[in-house]
């Protein structure tokens, strides 16, 4: 069953293009992921006053996890969300903690990239920050929570995949959720291409902007082959068994 058959996962805004709730996805053994706890998104920096009110009042936003690199944050900022009554945690997802902070180091050639390989590199270089993100998610005082990068596809997709796999969402549903970005990619691309950090992006659905479920399925296959799945990977990165259980309790109805 494709994830787009689940109602109300998309949340529409005037100037944020790729926001959806992680709720409504089936979990192996029974249950579904819980609505209203965690959202995934593209960059929030151009949000309008009405968008911000929607996030704060209707969504009940308390925490933003920003997965962008520090130089992206410095150049692009947060817009109105930066002055809102929310906790913002910058937890960059990158290839290596020792690598350059420049956005071009993430993807040197935007037109030609092996996304499955890139996602594996992002996972390998970001263990500490992914664990920190999980710890924010399981803190009831931090919810509801939204995490984002620029397009809301690659770095956001890696974190979403780890969270969903760790609580037992089957791979095909994780891949379907990832692929939903296709519905918004043209709008995301046009918005990002007008910003200094992302000028020169390829056309939607090509290069770094390609979106296929197969990319995520291969990433998850590698995650199991190399680490035994997201839950085991999180434990090796320092998450405790108790925290892993709290993650499931937080995300699963």
């Amino acid at each position: 069953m494709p994830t787009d058959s689940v109602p109300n996962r998309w949340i529409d805004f005037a100037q944020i293009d790729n926001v959806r709730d992680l709720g409504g996805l089936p979990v192996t053994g029974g249950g579904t992921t819980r609505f209203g706890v965690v959202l995934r998104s593209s960059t929030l920096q151009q949000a309008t006053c009405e968008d911000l009110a929607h996030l704060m009042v209707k969504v009940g936003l308390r925490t933003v996890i920003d997965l962008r690199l520090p130089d992206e944050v410095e150049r692009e900022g947060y817009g109105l969300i930066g002055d809102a009554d929310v906790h913002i945690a910058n937890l960059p997802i990158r290839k290596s903690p020792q690598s350059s902070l420049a956005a071009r180091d993430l993807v040197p050639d935007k037109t030609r990239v092996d996304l499955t390989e890139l996602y594996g590199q992002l996972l390998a270089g970001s263990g500490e920050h992914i664990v920190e993100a999980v710890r924010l998610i399981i803190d009831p005082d931090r919810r509801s929570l939204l995490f984002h990068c620029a397009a809301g596809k690659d770095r956001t997709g890696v974190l979403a995949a780890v969270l969903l796999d760790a609580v037992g969402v089957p791979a095909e549903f994780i891949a379907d959720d990832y692929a939903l970005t296709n519905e918004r990619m043209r709008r995301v691309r046009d918005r990002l291409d007008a910003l200094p950090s992302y000028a020169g992006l390829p056309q939607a659905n090509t290069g770094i902007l390609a979106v296929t479920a197969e990319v995520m399925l291969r990433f998850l296959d590698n995650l199991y082959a190399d680490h035994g799945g997201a839950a085991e990977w999180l434990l090796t990165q320092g998450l405790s068994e108790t925290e892993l259980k709290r993650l499931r309790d937080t995300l699963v109805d």
Side-chain angles (χ1 to χ4, degrees):
M1 182 179 67
T3 57
D4 60 359
S5 68
V6 178
N8 302 321
R9 295 200 58 227
W10 284 110
I11 305 177
D12 293 318
F13 295 88
Q15 299 294 332
I16 317 170
D17 298 312
N18 193 14
V19 186
R20 56 190 182 269
D21 200 303
L22 283 191
L25 301 175
V27 174
T28 300
T32 59
T33 53
R34 184 175 284 125
F35 277 100
V37 177
V38 178
L39 281 65
R40 56 177 293 169
S41 178
S42 54
T43 184
L44 305 176
Q45 71 200 71
Q46 294 165 310
T48 66
C49 291
E50 291 76 14
D51 292 337
L52 183 60
H54 189 166
L55 285 168
M56 300 297 295
V57 178
K58 292 186 180 180
V59 174
L61 185 67
R62 291 186 180 180
T63 304
V64 170
I65 297 176
D66 182 0
L67 307 177
R68 297 177 298 172
L69 299 170
D71 73 310
E72 289 175 83
V73 176
E74 182 177 353
R75 284 196 303 270
E76 301 297 340
Y78 289 105
L80 294 177
I81 199 75
D83 295 322
D85 185 21
V86 296
H87 174 70
I88 298 177
N90 183 212
L91 302 177
I93 299 294
R94 57 193 184 209
K95 294 179 182 178
S96 166
Q98 287 76 43
S99 68
S100 165
L101 299 183
R104 65 182 176 274
D105 189 66
L106 188 69
V107 183
D109 185 344
K110 298 173 185 175
T111 63
R112 293 181 297 175
V113 58
D114 182 329
L115 289 172
T116 298
E117 180 182 15
L118 172 63
Y119 296 172
Q121 293 169 338
L122 295 177
L123 183 76
S126 306
E128 179 181 355
H129 286 168
I130 291 175
V131 167
E132 287 185 52
V134 170
R135 288 175 174 152
L136 286 172
I137 290 167
I138 64 178
D139 181 348
D141 293 332
R142 296 297 185 188
R143 303 195 292 266
S144 62
L145 180 147
L146 178 151
F147 61 89
H148 75 93
C149 54
K153 176 177 80 78
D154 302 310
R155 292 166 287 186
T156 295
V158 168
L159 178 55
V162 169
L163 295 172
L164 295 173
D165 184 74
V167 302
V169 175
E172 62 266 31
F173 290 92
I174 299 173
D176 284 342
D177 171 68
Y178 167 81
L180 281 177
T181 290
N182 249 334
E183 297 182 14
R184 306 295 169 96
M185 183 48 72
R186 188 175 301 277
R187 286 157 54 183
V188 169
R189 186 263 176 207
D190 290 347
R191 186 179 303 283
L192 291 180
D193 195 54
L195 299 173
S197 296
Y198 315 108
L201 286 170
Q203 292 303 304
N205 304 319
T206 65
I208 187 60
L209 298 184
V211 190
T212 66
E214 289 73 23
V215 163
M216 182 54 66
L217 289 172
R218 289 196 297 270
F219 169 71
L220 291 167
D221 283 345
N222 293 341
L223 181 60
Y224 274 85
D226 297 339
H227 304 287
E232 291 300 319
W233 181 82
L234 285 167
L235 293 173
T236 66
Q237 301 302 309
L239 199 74
S240 71
E241 292 277 5
T242 299
E243 289 171 322
L244 186 61
K245 182 181 183 302
R246 285 176 62 193
L247 179 64
R248 183 179 175 88
D249 292 343
T250 296
L251 293 185
V252 178
D253 265 331

